[in-house]
């Protein structure tokens, strides 16, 4: 199997007022925010363009469920389908079905402390 996690894909967290918090981070920390939060661009070891997303969500979002935590991490992965099959065999709880978009494939798992983790096989060029 290839490398499992290749980087941080994003950090998502609940907040009372997503627009207000995006404005605060833009004003005080210089984040270039948009409707989704802020995209951080970087290059991997092979020189490929890669993106990590920082996104505030409304505090009543259901996107993090079944986790009740205030945050969800997103990890960049290689070969999501194979990885999820391997994780199932290893006894890891997989949530939902794989979703595919022009910017990548997504799957979800739960860690031993109940944190929902989003696994993303990215297509970074869709953002360029």
């Amino acid at each position: 199997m290839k490398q499992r996690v290749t980087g941080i894909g994003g950090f998502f967290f609940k907040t009372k007022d997503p627009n207000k918090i995006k404005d605060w981070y833009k004003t005080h920390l210089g984040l270039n925010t948009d409707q989704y939060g802020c995209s951080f661009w970087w290059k991997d070891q092979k020189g490929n363009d890669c993106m990590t997303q920082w996104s505030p969500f409304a505090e009543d979002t259901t996107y993090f469920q079944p986790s009740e935590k205030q945050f969800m991490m997103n990890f960049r992965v290689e070969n999501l389908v194979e990885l999820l099959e391997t994780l199932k065999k290893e006894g890891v709880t997989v949530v939902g079905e794989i979703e595919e978009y022009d910017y990548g494939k997504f799957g979800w798992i739960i860690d031993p402390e109940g944190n929902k983790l989003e696994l993303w096989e990215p297509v970074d060029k869709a953002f360029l």
Side-chain angles (χ1 to χ4, degrees):
M1 173 183 259
K2 296 180 178 184
Q3 182 177 355
R4 293 181 184 204
V5 171
T6 61
I8 300 287
F11 182 75
F12 312 134
F13 61 99
K14 295 179 183 181
T15 183
K16 291 181 187 342
D17 187 337
N19 289 325
K20 185 176 179 181
I21 203 75
K22 284 186 281 188
D23 288 344
W24 187 94
Y25 277 83
K26 183 175 189 167
T27 299
H28 299 289
L29 296 180
L31 269 60
N32 185 19
T33 57
D34 61 19
Q35 65 184 3
Y36 303 109
C38 182
S39 300
F40 294 91
W41 287 94
W42 49 279
K43 300 232 184 240
D44 67 13
Q45 290 179 336
K46 298 174 187 171
N48 298 311
D49 289 319
C50 300
M51 190 261 293
T52 297
Q53 184 67 36
W54 172 90
S55 295
F57 280 70
E59 65 184 347
D60 62 352
T61 186
T62 59
Y63 193 62
F64 301 176
Q65 289 182 351
S67 175
E68 293 299 322
K69 303 291 176 108
Q70 294 298 107
F71 65 91
M72 182 174 70
M73 293 177 283
N74 170 299
F75 290 102
R76 298 169 60 91
V77 301
E78 290 185 359
N79 197 336
L80 178 64
V81 173
E82 182 181 330
L83 177 57
L84 286 175
E85 288 172 6
T86 299
L87 292 171
K88 281 181 190 176
K89 290 177 188 171
E90 294 173 351
V92 173
T93 300
V94 175
V95 178
E97 300 296 323
I98 291 174
E99 294 183 19
E100 191 167 351
Y101 303 91
D102 60 342
Y103 49 90
K105 295 178 189 170
F106 294 85
W108 299 268
I109 61 173
I110 302 293
D111 78 7
E113 293 197 2
N115 296 304
K116 185 176 180 184
L117 306 175
E118 185 170 68
L119 305 178
W120 174 37
E121 182 181 326
V123 178
D124 292 298
K125 66 183 179 185
F127 298 105
L128 299 174

